[in-house]
Amino acid sequence: QAQVVESGGGLVQPGGSLRLSCEGSGFTFSRYQMEWFRQAPGKTRERVASITKSYDITTYADSVKGRFTISRDNNMRKVYLQMNDLKAEDTATYYCFAVNGVSHYWGQGTQVTVSS
């Protein structure tokens, strides 16, 4: 029953912005660290951002820092990824990931395509 579901992907032009959302259900959302991963065809899955369960401590991959912002709303059971100044290399399937050291859950992924 536990799951995380992403939304907000789509086609955007280079330099544009997009906000991804992920909603958790079936588990105690506030007890899980939330992360965003991405994977492009032919490449390994890459963690792009994470946010702790409390105090909103964030980390970012070097490739996205300064452009992406991860945030969460525990009351709404959601985590977001605000993506600005998008580049073609950001094109990938983006996955939401919830983890607390005991269990973890992967989302189904949402496609982000950056192209003119």
PDB file of all heavy atoms in Angstrom, residues 82-96:
ATOM      1  N   GLN A  82      12.026  21.949  -7.568  1.00  0.00           N
ATOM      2  CA  GLN A  82      11.933  23.104  -8.444  1.00  0.00           C
ATOM      3  C   GLN A  82      13.167  23.133  -9.322  1.00  0.00           C
ATOM      4  O   GLN A  82      14.285  23.201  -8.822  1.00  0.00           O
ATOM      5  CB  GLN A  82      11.830  24.393  -7.630  1.00  0.00           C
ATOM      6  CG  GLN A  82      11.772  25.661  -8.468  1.00  0.00           C
ATOM      7  CD  GLN A  82      10.516  25.757  -9.294  1.00  0.00           C
ATOM      8  OE1 GLN A  82       9.423  25.531  -8.791  1.00  0.00           O
ATOM      9  NE2 GLN A  82      10.665  26.083 -10.572  1.00  0.00           N
ATOM     10  N   MET A  83      12.976  23.082 -10.614  1.00  0.00           N
ATOM     11  CA  MET A  83      14.069  23.022 -11.568  1.00  0.00           C
ATOM     12  C   MET A  83      14.060  24.285 -12.414  1.00  0.00           C
ATOM     13  O   MET A  83      13.103  24.544 -13.142  1.00  0.00           O
ATOM     14  CB  MET A  83      13.949  21.789 -12.451  1.00  0.00           C
ATOM     15  CG  MET A  83      13.865  20.481 -11.671  1.00  0.00           C
ATOM     16  SD  MET A  83      13.838  19.026 -12.744  1.00  0.00           S
ATOM     17  CE  MET A  83      12.241  19.255 -13.534  1.00  0.00           C
ATOM     18  N   ASN A  84      15.121  25.064 -12.305  1.00  0.00           N
ATOM     19  CA  ASN A  84      15.253  26.298 -13.059  1.00  0.00           C
ATOM     20  C   ASN A  84      16.442  26.223 -14.007  1.00  0.00           C
ATOM     21  O   ASN A  84      17.342  25.406 -13.823  1.00  0.00           O
ATOM     22  CB  ASN A  84      15.428  27.488 -12.116  1.00  0.00           C
ATOM     23  CG  ASN A  84      14.242  27.705 -11.209  1.00  0.00           C
ATOM     24  OD1 ASN A  84      13.098  27.479 -11.596  1.00  0.00           O
ATOM     25  ND2 ASN A  84      14.513  28.163  -9.986  1.00  0.00           N
ATOM     26  N   ASP A  85      16.438  27.100 -14.995  1.00  0.00           N
ATOM     27  CA  ASP A  85      17.518  27.151 -15.977  1.00  0.00           C
ATOM     28  C   ASP A  85      17.828  25.755 -16.513  1.00  0.00           C
ATOM     29  O   ASP A  85      18.973  25.306 -16.532  1.00  0.00           O
ATOM     30  CB  ASP A  85      18.767  27.778 -15.354  1.00  0.00           C
ATOM     31  CG  ASP A  85      19.832  28.099 -16.383  1.00  0.00           C
ATOM     32  OD1 ASP A  85      19.491  28.290 -17.567  1.00  0.00           O
ATOM     33  OD2 ASP A  85      21.020  28.169 -16.003  1.00  0.00           O
ATOM     34  N   LEU A  86      16.806  25.090 -16.958  1.00  0.00           N
ATOM     35  CA  LEU A  86      16.958  23.714 -17.417  1.00  0.00           C
ATOM     36  C   LEU A  86      17.824  23.630 -18.668  1.00  0.00           C
ATOM     37  O   LEU A  86      17.778  24.499 -19.536  1.00  0.00           O
ATOM     38  CB  LEU A  86      15.597  23.096 -17.672  1.00  0.00           C
ATOM     39  CG  LEU A  86      14.856  22.683 -16.395  1.00  0.00           C
ATOM     40  CD1 LEU A  86      13.369  22.522 -16.666  1.00  0.00           C
ATOM     41  CD2 LEU A  86      15.452  21.392 -15.842  1.00  0.00           C
ATOM     42  N   LYS A  87      18.595  22.565 -18.721  1.00  0.00           N
ATOM     43  CA  LYS A  87      19.494  22.308 -19.829  1.00  0.00           C
ATOM     44  C   LYS A  87      19.145  20.980 -20.467  1.00  0.00           C
ATOM     45  O   LYS A  87      18.492  20.135 -19.863  1.00  0.00           O
ATOM     46  CB  LYS A  87      20.945  22.283 -19.335  1.00  0.00           C
ATOM     47  CG  LYS A  87      21.368  23.542 -18.601  1.00  0.00           C
ATOM     48  CD  LYS A  87      22.772  23.411 -18.033  1.00  0.00           C
ATOM     49  CE  LYS A  87      23.187  24.671 -17.304  1.00  0.00           C
ATOM     50  NZ  LYS A  87      24.561  24.558 -16.752  1.00  0.00           N
ATOM     51  N   ALA A  88      19.613  20.786 -21.688  1.00  0.00           N
ATOM     52  CA  ALA A  88      19.331  19.547 -22.403  1.00  0.00           C
ATOM     53  C   ALA A  88      19.812  18.334 -21.614  1.00  0.00           C
ATOM     54  O   ALA A  88      19.177  17.274 -21.642  1.00  0.00           O
ATOM     55  CB  ALA A  88      19.982  19.574 -23.785  1.00  0.00           C
ATOM     56  N   GLU A  89      20.917  18.478 -20.899  1.00  0.00           N
ATOM     57  CA  GLU A  89      21.465  17.376 -20.127  1.00  0.00           C
ATOM     58  C   GLU A  89      20.615  16.999 -18.922  1.00  0.00           C
ATOM     59  O   GLU A  89      20.869  15.989 -18.271  1.00  0.00           O
ATOM     60  CB  GLU A  89      22.886  17.715 -19.659  1.00  0.00           C
ATOM     61  CG  GLU A  89      22.966  18.960 -18.798  1.00  0.00           C
ATOM     62  CD  GLU A  89      24.155  19.836 -19.131  1.00  0.00           C
ATOM     63  OE1 GLU A  89      24.265  20.262 -20.291  1.00  0.00           O
ATOM     64  OE2 GLU A  89      24.979  20.085 -18.233  1.00  0.00           O
ATOM     65  N   ASP A  90      19.610  17.811 -18.605  1.00  0.00           N
ATOM     66  CA  ASP A  90      18.687  17.482 -17.527  1.00  0.00           C
ATOM     67  C   ASP A  90      17.604  16.518 -17.985  1.00  0.00           C
ATOM     68  O   ASP A  90      16.814  16.045 -17.161  1.00  0.00           O
ATOM     69  CB  ASP A  90      18.036  18.745 -16.972  1.00  0.00           C
ATOM     70  CG  ASP A  90      19.034  19.687 -16.325  1.00  0.00           C
ATOM     71  OD1 ASP A  90      19.931  19.204 -15.610  1.00  0.00           O
ATOM     72  OD2 ASP A  90      18.916  20.910 -16.531  1.00  0.00           O
ATOM     73  N   THR A  91      17.539  16.262 -19.271  1.00  0.00           N
ATOM     74  CA  THR A  91      16.545  15.338 -19.803  1.00  0.00           C
ATOM     75  C   THR A  91      16.751  13.950 -19.208  1.00  0.00           C
ATOM     76  O   THR A  91      17.828  13.374 -19.307  1.00  0.00           O
ATOM     77  CB  THR A  91      16.626  15.273 -21.329  1.00  0.00           C
ATOM     78  OG1 THR A  91      16.287  16.545 -21.885  1.00  0.00           O
ATOM     79  CG2 THR A  91      15.668  14.220 -21.875  1.00  0.00           C
ATOM     80  N   ALA A  92      15.718  13.438 -18.577  1.00  0.00           N
ATOM     81  CA  ALA A  92      15.808  12.142 -17.903  1.00  0.00           C
ATOM     82  C   ALA A  92      14.451  11.787 -17.325  1.00  0.00           C
ATOM     83  O   ALA A  92      13.530  12.607 -17.306  1.00  0.00           O
ATOM     84  CB  ALA A  92      16.849  12.189 -16.781  1.00  0.00           C
ATOM     85  N   THR A  93      14.352  10.566 -16.855  1.00  0.00           N
ATOM     86  CA  THR A  93      13.220  10.178 -16.039  1.00  0.00           C
ATOM     87  C   THR A  93      13.572  10.477 -14.593  1.00  0.00           C
ATOM     88  O   THR A  93      14.630  10.054 -14.109  1.00  0.00           O
ATOM     89  CB  THR A  93      12.888   8.686 -16.201  1.00  0.00           C
ATOM     90  OG1 THR A  93      12.580   8.415 -17.567  1.00  0.00           O
ATOM     91  CG2 THR A  93      11.687   8.308 -15.343  1.00  0.00           C
ATOM     92  N   TYR A  94      12.724  11.210 -13.921  1.00  0.00           N
ATOM     93  CA  TYR A  94      12.978  11.620 -12.546  1.00  0.00           C
ATOM     94  C   TYR A  94      12.157  10.767 -11.595  1.00  0.00           C
ATOM     95  O   TYR A  94      10.953  10.595 -11.781  1.00  0.00           O
ATOM     96  CB  TYR A  94      12.649  13.097 -12.360  1.00  0.00           C
ATOM     97  CG  TYR A  94      13.705  14.008 -12.940  1.00  0.00           C
ATOM     98  CD1 TYR A  94      13.848  14.137 -14.318  1.00  0.00           C
ATOM     99  CD2 TYR A  94      14.575  14.719 -12.119  1.00  0.00           C
ATOM    100  CE1 TYR A  94      14.830  14.943 -14.860  1.00  0.00           C
ATOM    101  CE2 TYR A  94      15.557  15.530 -12.649  1.00  0.00           C
ATOM    102  CZ  TYR A  94      15.683  15.639 -14.021  1.00  0.00           C
ATOM    103  OH  TYR A  94      16.667  16.452 -14.553  1.00  0.00           O
ATOM    104  N   TYR A  95      12.826  10.257 -10.567  1.00  0.00           N
ATOM    105  CA  TYR A  95      12.208   9.355  -9.615  1.00  0.00           C
ATOM    106  C   TYR A  95      12.225   9.933  -8.209  1.00  0.00           C
ATOM    107  O   TYR A  95      13.232  10.486  -7.760  1.00  0.00           O
ATOM    108  CB  TYR A  95      12.940   8.015  -9.579  1.00  0.00           C
ATOM    109  CG  TYR A  95      12.933   7.259 -10.882  1.00  0.00           C
ATOM    110  CD1 TYR A  95      13.942   7.444 -11.818  1.00  0.00           C
ATOM    111  CD2 TYR A  95      11.919   6.351 -11.173  1.00  0.00           C
ATOM    112  CE1 TYR A  95      13.941   6.746 -13.013  1.00  0.00           C
ATOM    113  CE2 TYR A  95      11.915   5.652 -12.363  1.00  0.00           C
ATOM    114  CZ  TYR A  95      12.928   5.847 -13.286  1.00  0.00           C
ATOM    115  OH  TYR A  95      12.923   5.152 -14.460  1.00  0.00           O
ATOM    116  N   CYS A  96      11.140   9.761  -7.520  1.00  0.00           N
ATOM    117  CA  CYS A  96      11.028  10.114  -6.115  1.00  0.00           C
ATOM    118  C   CYS A  96      11.389   8.897  -5.273  1.00  0.00           C
ATOM    119  O   CYS A  96      11.035   7.766  -5.616  1.00  0.00           O
ATOM    120  CB  CYS A  96       9.599  10.575  -5.822  1.00  0.00           C
ATOM    121  SG  CYS A  96       9.286  11.116  -4.135  1.00  0.00           S
TER     122      CYS A  96
END
